[in-house]
Amino acid sequence: MTDASSYDSANTTPLSPAEFALTQAEEAFGTHLAITPRERAALLRQVARRLGADKTSINEAELLHALCQVRRRGWANSMMNHAHRSGAVWVRKADVLLAAERIHDPLIDEEGQAAVLESLLEERWRDMADTPLRVLDDVRADLADAGTYLSGAQIERLSHSIARAFGGVDLGFEDELILEEERRAREQEDIRAKAEARRARELQKIKDWEATLVGFEKLPALLHCSRREALRWIAEQRIPIAKRDQQPDGLEIFYFDPAELKKCRPLLNSWRRGTSQKRDEEYDDSPQARKGNAAIARVAALDRFAAHFRTARALNRRITLVTGPTNSGKSHTALEALAQAESGLALAPLRLLAHEFREAMLSRGVPASLTTGEERIIDPTARHLAATVEMCPFNNPVDVAIIDEAQMLSDPDRGAAWTAAIMGVPARHVFILGAADCIPLVKRIAELCNDPVDEIHLERKSPLRPAGTLALTDLRAGDALIAFSRRDVLDLRAELMAHNRRVAVIYGALSPEVRRAEAARFNRGEADILIATDAIGMGLNLSIRRVVFSTLRKYDGRQTRNLVSQEVKQIGGRAGRFGKHEEGLVCVLEGAGRPSFIRHMLEAPPEPMLELRPLVQPDADIVQAVAQEMESDSLYGVLTRIKRAVLRPDDPNYRLADMEQALEIAAALEGVDGLDLSTRWTYAMCPINTRDNGIPRLVEWAALHARGQSIFPPGTGRLPQASTAGREELERAEKRHRRLVTWRWLAMRFPDNYPELIVAERNAAILDEWIEHVLRTQSRMRETSRRHQGRPGRASPKTPCRRTRPS
């Protein structure tokens, strides 16, 4: 017989056990809780979870806890909205969610919520760093990375919060933080104003000089020659062209420097006789002539770039060019020769690959040191060195050198480093490794250096073939899914993990250590599928059977375009590791493109190289020489003139590399007093990400450097539990790691100004470990869930995992 109390008093409808228990609890202890109808539906679900076969009621504590669970989302939204309204932009979603979890009073008001949130923030500040000022620095840096800058009122409020975390206003932290931030803001504004004024002054100098230039129509009168003679001497490159203007119709208009023309007058008779005699006493050393483009170009001598490397030119070098596709054994061939040499050098495109070169030598019983932009491992007994290409030592001769990934010669951002390495590496025998596309350009460089070239071409050790399309559900262990952005990699990761697949990821924002750890998880079988960007195209030994492209287009920093043949071959060639798989397969994800495109790209011959002039850029010595010639201490002025003057667009041998980022940094540094030209040039070469507030931060550090103050390493920030970290926390940790990379790079060059390198290395290691823990733990949680469901390695057939649009 049913108890009357289990019926609704209004219509005698039977109540569910949860409804009955909730009604009883409300009558006993909940009359003051003001439960709304909307809350009641969610509350019933909470009550149902607390009931069992032998439990039909809940006590007061259980009712309050259940109601808190229901109201926590609303509290979190309320706290976040209040933070935004009050300008507390440092409050994150993770903060309010955690604060809501700490609330156990269902009737808490806004003031109580704010107190809980503030208590949590104070814990966060204490966890971030040892001093209030360093906490403020780290918070500002995190916000600046996201493009958020604090007003004076916001700084004051944040300072109050940080000061309370470290003992309150009684200890003077608060006033110190506010005064320091006000001083910093004034200094940065002063730096910006000075930089703008000095940039304008340097540009005005160039404008004033250009105003003195004359057009072709004045040449005959100035040189006392005929128009035909002037045209011939211009074609013979005897008369220096100071400036070229490209007209909309494609016609070029030439302008000439009267000071340079004056130097040509004594030479006219020899030119008419067909000789090129020039006497030293005819050189015009006046200040006006010294500042002309022709004089600047003569001093920089980038049109004679190979001659800058005197040690290499003094050696009787021999080049062996080893080309072949991925998985053809290029590195093995060269490493054997390197290991047998008495001294040697291995240059890699990435820090991770420099480590692999060093480990390869150590495994062969050859002691080796390591040099990268941010790291040194020095073995005093070693006569072999592994380094990144940019760290090539140009003055210490060795027997054998390896330069890897020579196809990077064509890269607009880093190609000049490969030009310098190939021309300047001081080795008697140079092994240059790369894809077949690099052959013409390497041969051209060897010709400019007068070095003989032997060629070795290797074939793949296992066949590589196209294998059509497949759906996301068809992916299986040993597959690598390729995307071309961090966002797409993480989207695909989330989609696959939602269907109980174990996933490892590799993308450019991850440090070499994390990439390596993820690769190891995949190779050991702890992850079924690898999702990666084209960061896997160079290095990393990966046991991949199939490479699957999620898209056949990529954004290359300038435009979104189709993949080119070399990219498909380089990335697709990672499939079919020799000794692990009989063949490599290259596929395209269903809906992402035509499989015929993959087939065509894999079968295509090397693309013809239309530009055989290697990229070059100035080094510290060239910058210093040009500055002396110009009698200028402005790095911005020097680089601007180098960009305009040192190489003619039609120079037959060389092209000037893109210098835009160095110019942008140099322009920002114009407002910093107290740094010499060499130091400014070092800062301009520093690896930064301009999208992460890189230049303003670099200028701020440079200003402290100029005042003789120490720049301490960035902190790790507060790192949440790996199992609860979302994309925002992961991205923030990656940005902090990039700040540490920049700081360590500078510390290697200015150790007195950037102390505590050990702390920086420790912080980088903590971030590496945390990021890898996030990626590993979340994948493991999915694995645990999969085992509980009893479906090892398979997605649920009820919810097919299908990608409906191209990545």
Side-chain angles (χ1 to χ4, degrees):
M1 188 171 181
T2 306
D3 193 307
S5 62
S6 65
Y7 282 83
D8 186 297
S9 59
N11 56 25
T12 67
T13 302
L15 297 177
S16 69
E19 289 173 321
F20 178 73
L22 177 57
T23 300
Q24 294 286 68
E26 282 183 287
E27 292 173 356
F29 352 92
T31 55
H32 63 295
L33 296 178
I35 299 171
T36 67
R38 185 173 181 177
E39 288 177 333
R40 187 176 181 82
L43 192 56
L44 281 171
R45 291 192 291 272
Q46 291 288 333
V47 171
R49 294 191 188 108
R50 288 163 172 77
L51 298 179
D54 56 349
K55 184 175 182 181
T56 59
S57 63
I58 59 171
N59 58 34
E60 182 177 12
E62 288 174 317
L63 174 64
L64 296 179
H65 184 264
L67 188 55
C68 284
Q69 289 292 96
V70 169
R71 290 179 173 174
R72 277 186 177 127
R73 182 181 292 251
W75 293 334
N77 290 336
S78 173
M79 286 184 281
M80 183 58 79
N81 290 335
H82 183 267
H84 285 170
R85 288 196 305 271
S86 64
V89 292
W90 49 87
V91 175
R92 307 169 185 158
K93 182 180 178 181
D95 295 326
V96 296
L97 290 174
L98 185 56
E101 287 294 324
R102 294 187 177 185
I103 296 174
H104 302 292
D105 177 6
L107 297 177
I108 192 170
D109 57 14
E110 281 196 1
E111 185 176 346
Q113 295 169 29
V116 174
L117 178 60
E118 183 59 31
S119 174
L120 185 142
L121 288 173
E122 290 173 13
E123 288 180 24
R124 177 176 146 197
W125 308 146
R126 287 191 293 271
D127 287 346
M128 283 182 70
D130 297 330
T131 68
L133 195 55
R134 289 205 188 181
V135 173
L136 183 59
D137 284 341
D138 281 351
V139 175
R140 287 176 60 256
D142 281 345
L143 293 171
D145 280 347
T148 302
Y149 300 90
L150 301 178
S151 67
Q154 287 173 314
I155 286 291
E156 184 171 1
R157 180 173 175 184
L158 177 59
S159 299
H160 289 331
S161 178
I162 296 173
R164 283 193 295 271
F166 282 85
V169 294
D170 294 341
L171 299 181
F173 294 148
E174 189 175 349
D175 292 340
E176 179 187 346
L177 292 178
I178 294 171
L179 290 172
E180 173 61 23
E181 190 55 36
E182 288 176 351
R183 183 204 61 76
R184 180 173 12 212
R186 287 194 302 270
E187 180 187 61
Q188 291 304 305
E189 184 56 40
D190 183 52
I191 287 172
R192 282 191 290 271
K194 283 182 181 177
E196 186 60 38
R198 290 172 181 173
R199 286 198 300 271
R201 184 182 66 198
E202 291 300 321
L203 291 174
Q204 186 62 45
K205 286 181 184 178
I206 295 174
K207 187 176 179 180
D208 291 345
W209 171 75
E210 289 180 343
T212 69
L213 303 181
V214 298
F216 173 79
E217 70 280 358
K218 294 191 177 181
L219 247 61
L222 288 171
L223 291 177
H224 307 295
C225 68
S226 69
R227 181 183 176 88
R228 178 175 295 180
E229 285 178 320
L231 286 170
R232 186 176 80 243
W233 293 334
I234 291 171
E236 293 173 351
Q237 299 182 9
R238 296 178 186 273
I239 298 177
I241 299 170
K243 181 184 175 185
R244 301 165 185 253
D245 274 351
Q246 188 87 23
Q247 299 300 300
D249 60 1
L251 180 68
E252 267 194 324
I253 298 180
F254 298 161
Y255 295 90
F256 305 87
D257 186 345
E260 292 293 326
L261 296 176
K262 179 182 176 183
K263 293 187 290 183
C264 293
R265 289 175 191 162
L267 308 176
L268 298 184
N269 287 334
S270 64
W271 291 356
R272 289 183 175 115
R273 292 193 302 268
T275 65
S276 58
Q277 180 182 359
K278 179 172 181 176
R279 298 188 300 273
D280 290 341
E281 59 268 23
E282 290 162 357
Y283 177 67
D284 184 356
D285 197 36
S286 66
Q288 182 181 4
R290 287 168 63 86
K291 294 175 184 176
N293 275 2
I296 300 303
R298 183 170 53 250
V299 170
L302 285 181
D303 58 342
R304 302 183 299 281
F305 192 67
H308 283 281
F309 305 102
R310 294 190 179 93
T311 305
R313 299 291 76 79
L315 296 173
N316 185 20
R317 295 200 320 172
R318 176 166 60 95
I319 292 176
T320 296
L321 176 57
V322 185
T323 59
T326 306
N327 214 348
S328 59
K330 298 186 296 292
S331 299
H332 177 79
T333 300
L335 279 168
E336 289 301 312
L338 181 65
Q340 293 171 20
E342 289 190 9
S343 59
L345 173 64
L347 299 177
L350 303 171
R351 176 170 159 254
L352 183 150
L353 295 182
H355 272 278
E356 289 193 359
F357 271 143
R358 178 173 181 264
E359 288 164 8
M361 286 186 275
L362 294 176
S363 69
R364 289 168 168 81
V366 179
S369 297
L370 176 82
T371 302
T372 72
E374 58 187 279
E375 185 178 20
R376 305 283 191 280
I377 301 175
I378 304 301
D379 180 347
T381 68
R383 299 193 64 193
H384 288 71
L385 172 70
T388 45
V389 169
E390 282 83 355
M391 300 303 295
C392 177
F394 295 114
N395 300 316
N396 301 318
V398 295
D399 292 321
V400 173
I402 296 174
I403 302 174
D404 200 7
E405 304 292 355
Q407 67 273 6
M408 290 289 289
L409 278 164
S410 301
D411 185 86
D413 297 316
R414 298 182 67 198
W418 266 260
T419 301
I422 294 173
M423 286 190 163
V425 65
R428 296 169 183 85
H429 191 177
V430 183
F431 284 86
I432 299 175
L433 318 180
D437 306 60
C438 75
I439 293 173
L441 196 45
V442 171
K443 285 185 172 181
R444 177 60 181 146
I445 292 174
E447 181 184 343
L448 291 168
C449 297
N450 294 315
D451 291 330
V453 179
D454 302 322
E455 289 188 66
I456 299 175
H457 184 76
L458 303 175
E459 300 295 335
R460 270 186 67 94
K461 294 182 177 182
S462 59
L464 183 70
R465 65 178 181 86
T469 61
L470 72 163
L472 211 60
T473 47
D474 297 329
L475 292 176
R476 58 179 184 268
D479 289 343
L481 184 59
I482 306 301
F484 292 102
S485 72
R486 176 186 184 276
R487 183 185 65 183
D488 284 349
V489 166
L490 295 180
D491 282 348
L492 288 164
R493 173 178 179 263
E495 195 167 352
L496 284 168
M497 286 174 56
H499 291 82
N500 301 320
R501 306 306 298 272
R502 300 179 303 172
V503 178
V505 296
I506 294 174
Y507 51 89
L510 297 177
S511 72
E513 289 77 10
V514 175
R515 291 189 222 178
R516 236 172 153 179
E518 288 291 280
R521 281 206 305 124
F522 176 73
N523 287 339
R524 290 194 301 263
E526 295 172 12
D528 302 320
I529 298 160
L530 175 68
I531 308 176
T533 63
D534 45 0
I536 69 165
M538 288 189 291
L540 288 174
N541 292 318
L542 295 163
S543 185
I544 299 170
R545 180 169 182 266
R546 292 189 301 189
V547 164
V548 183
F549 286 92
S550 70
T551 176
L552 300 178
R553 292 174 62 79
K554 68 175 284 189
Y555 179 70
D556 61 8
R558 294 168 176 82
Q559 62 179 339
T560 300
R561 56 166 176 79
N562 289 335
L563 300 179
V564 299
S565 172
Q566 177 55 34
E567 289 168 332
V568 174
K569 291 174 182 175
Q570 185 79 10
I571 299 168
R574 307 301 292 174
R577 183 179 175 187
F578 183 67
K580 292 284 187 179
H581 305 288
E582 293 183 1
E583 63 178 356
L585 304 176
V586 186
C587 312
V588 61
L589 200 62
E590 193 176 70
R594 293 176 289 106
S596 59
F597 178 86
I598 295 288
R599 181 180 301 105
H600 176 69
M601 291 293 103
L602 290 177
E603 294 173 354
E607 296 180 11
M609 192 166 286
L610 302 178
E611 180 57 82
L612 292 180
R613 295 177 301 165
L615 291 162
V616 296
Q617 66 183 10
D619 59 17
D621 292 339
I622 292 172
V623 168
Q624 195 69 48
V626 171
Q628 290 174 0
E629 183 71 16
M630 291 175 57
E631 297 179 348
S632 172
D633 61 355
S634 167
L635 178 63
Y636 176 73
V638 168
L639 295 183
T640 300
R641 185 58 63 87
I642 286 175
K643 182 181 177 182
R644 295 187 182 209
V646 298
L647 277 177
R648 303 189 316 272
D650 61 347
D651 186 275
N653 296 323
Y654 300 102
R655 291 180 294 150
L656 188 64
D658 185 355
M659 297 170 54
E660 289 308 311
Q661 181 164 300
L663 264 168
E664 194 176 352
I665 295 173
L669 288 172
E670 286 292 295
V672 178
D673 295 321
L675 296 178
D676 60 29
L677 191 76
S678 175
T679 301
R680 290 171 185 271
W681 172 248
T682 302
Y683 272 96
M685 291 292 100
C686 183
I688 60 169
N689 189 324
T690 55
R691 291 173 297 180
D692 292 349
N693 192 47
I695 293 179
R697 183 183 307 112
L698 199 64
V699 171
E700 190 172 327
W701 289 353
L704 292 171
H705 181 166
R707 292 202 305 270
Q709 294 180 240
S710 295
I711 302 96
F712 295 102
T716 64
R718 188 179 190 185
L719 302 172
Q721 290 292 325
S723 58
T724 62
R727 286 196 189 186
E728 183 182 350
E729 288 81 15
L730 186 61
E731 184 175 10
R732 187 178 297 114
E734 291 164 1
K735 288 181 177 180
R736 286 173 184 149
H737 195 281
R738 287 199 291 271
R739 289 205 296 269
L740 280 162
V741 167
T742 301
W743 189 96
R744 290 166 68 189
W745 191 94
L746 290 165
M748 299 303 296
R749 289 146 183 85
F750 306 114
D752 293 340
N753 304 93
Y754 290 80
E756 300 188 8
L757 181 58
I758 293 175
V759 173
E761 290 171 345
R762 181 199 67 198
N763 289 348
I766 290 171
L767 287 169
D768 280 333
E769 184 178 352
W770 183 84
I771 292 169
E772 172 56 21
H773 193 43
V774 169
L775 299 175
R776 184 178 66 248
T777 301
Q778 293 182 354
S779 183
R780 187 180 296 158
M781 288 167 64
R782 291 293 181 182
E783 167 68 359
T784 301
S785 171
R786 185 179 73 183
R787 287 174 178 169
H788 287 165
Q789 293 175 11
R791 293 192 179 104
R794 296 177 56 235
S796 168
K798 295 180 181 178
T799 53
C801 181
R802 184 174 299 279
R803 197 162 181 81
T804 58
R805 60 177 176 83
S807 173

